[in-house]
Amino acid sequence: MIDPLRELSTEQSDPRYSQIDRLPTEQIARLMNQADAAVPAAVAVVIPAISAAIDAIAERMASGGRLLYVGAGTSGRLAVLDASECPPTFGTDPELVQGVIAGGPDALTRSVEGAEDDDAAGAAAIENLEVGTFDSVVGVSASGRAPFVLGALGEATRRGALTVGLSCNNDAPLSAAAEHAIEVVVGPEVVTGSTRLKAGTAQKLVLNMISTISMVRLGRTYGNQMIEMSAMNNKLAGRAVRMVSDITGADHDTANQALDAAGGQAKIAVLMIQHGLDPEGARALLESHGERLSDALSN
């Protein structure tokens, strides 16, 4: 039987790590740290491809589309993680950025047998989400050949959605299936084939870029401030007050009062202070400038 994964760089065994079971803990930790240090450099090589994908995604999102990540195993868990961070960080509707993992929610905490190999289930997931032409589907697979992900991208393409393939191998089938290919080649893992290590780190770095820069392009930050964040606990509430104070120059009490009147919405609080508006007037001004605080402030 021919092993189709045998030649993949992510499946190779690196002789530098062949004796790790006999090494002291600190030496293993240093080897892992050295291996991890190579990941950002591998990501840097493909920044042009990442940037092109982000611009295309942001353009569709600006027209009302969603950003959907699809993955299996570690890749799927990372996809769900990145998507789940968008509502608290950028104040997005949970439907706007979603993560889809082979095997469903159960696969977040344990392996679901055969889920990765079910291409029909991947296609069905896209169909169930009623993916359309304004949506963007990012397939995430370290090997670049997970059938579930390939099935999802195939259905997304059929429906006219933008498709992106994020893998960690050269000439991956996922790249051929996607409009935008991102291949972050990190090489063999410290523990052979354990792509939750370097490959997982690389995928997380790229997903960070995709979600964060897309939100920046959509006006969901002001400078480097999380102006749309949800103040869901005391730490975040304090951060919101500091943010409004920093942007407007107002003292802590004034910023806090404006935030209370604005229902916790930092953009509204900033406009209330800067333009002397009530909450309704600030909301109307913000809406008239496409929710972009920088434009509303320059009004």
Side-chain angles (χ1 to χ4, degrees):
M1 180 178 179
I2 297 174
D3 182 359
L5 303 180
R6 184 180 180 86
E7 302 304 319
L8 298 182
S9 66
T10 50
E11 295 294 322
Q12 300 301 303
S13 180
D14 191 324
R16 290 177 297 175
Y17 313 126
S18 62
Q19 304 293 318
I20 59 171
D21 58 335
R22 304 177 187 181
L23 298 178
T25 297
E26 183 173 337
Q27 190 170 346
I28 300 173
R30 291 190 183 281
L31 284 171
M32 290 187 69
N33 182 243
Q34 291 166 8
D36 289 342
V39 175
V43 173
V45 171
V46 295
I47 281 180
I50 297 169
S51 301
I54 292 171
D55 283 339
I57 290 168
E59 182 178 358
R60 296 209 181 194
M61 294 183 80
S63 297
R66 297 168 295 174
L67 171 57
L68 308 172
Y69 297 136
V70 181
T74 295
S75 299
R77 295 180 190 100
L78 290 169
V80 172
L81 171 62
D82 196 73
S84 68
E85 292 287 356
C86 287
T89 305
F90 302 109
T92 59
D93 186 296
E95 301 295 314
L96 184 64
V97 183
Q98 299 181 48
V100 178
I101 183 171
D106 288 346
L108 290 172
T109 55
R110 66 174 186 269
S111 177
V112 176
E113 185 176 354
E116 177 176 329
D117 299 325
D118 193 341
D119 58 338
I126 296 301
E127 183 179 3
N128 291 339
L129 285 167
E130 299 181 344
V131 167
T133 56
F134 290 118
D135 294 326
S136 301
V137 178
V138 179
V140 190
S141 168
S143 69
R145 57 191 306 131
F148 180 89
V149 180
L150 289 169
L153 255 64
E155 180 64 17
T157 297
R158 192 184 72 79
R159 291 169 168 266
L162 176 78
T163 55
V164 178
L166 170 57
S167 69
C168 294
N169 281 285
N170 284 317
D171 302 320
L174 186 60
S175 298
E179 184 176 346
H180 291 269
I182 302 170
E183 296 179 342
V184 188
V185 182
V186 294
E189 300 286 2
V190 172
V191 175
T192 304
S194 182
T195 52
R196 68 185 183 88
L197 300 176
K198 289 192 297 181
T201 299
Q203 290 172 332
K204 185 62 172 75
L205 290 176
V206 176
L207 293 175
N208 284 348
M209 290 181 182
I210 292 173
S211 57
T212 302
I213 301 173
S214 293
M215 293 301 151
V216 171
R217 294 275 76 86
L218 293 171
R220 288 190 168 272
T221 62
Y222 177 73
N224 64 343
Q225 301 277 13
M226 294 189 294
I227 199 68
E228 296 271 14
M229 74 170 194
S230 301
M232 299 184 297
N233 55 44
N234 289 335
K235 179 188 75 174
L236 295 180
R239 183 182 294 164
V241 172
R242 291 193 301 274
M243 182 163 49
V244 172
S245 179
D246 289 344
I247 293 171
T248 64
D251 60 39
H252 182 280
D253 289 341
T254 300
N256 192 41
Q257 290 169 11
L259 272 167
D260 285 342
Q265 294 180 282
K267 283 183 176 180
I268 303 301
V270 168
L271 290 173
M272 289 170 61
I273 294 171
Q274 291 296 84
H275 290 315
L277 299 169
D278 60 19
E280 291 71 25
R283 287 191 182 92
L285 178 61
L286 187 61
E287 289 173 4
S288 71
H289 288 85
E291 301 293 327
R292 293 182 178 273
L293 180 59
S294 56
D295 292 345
L297 283 172
S298 63
N299 182 71

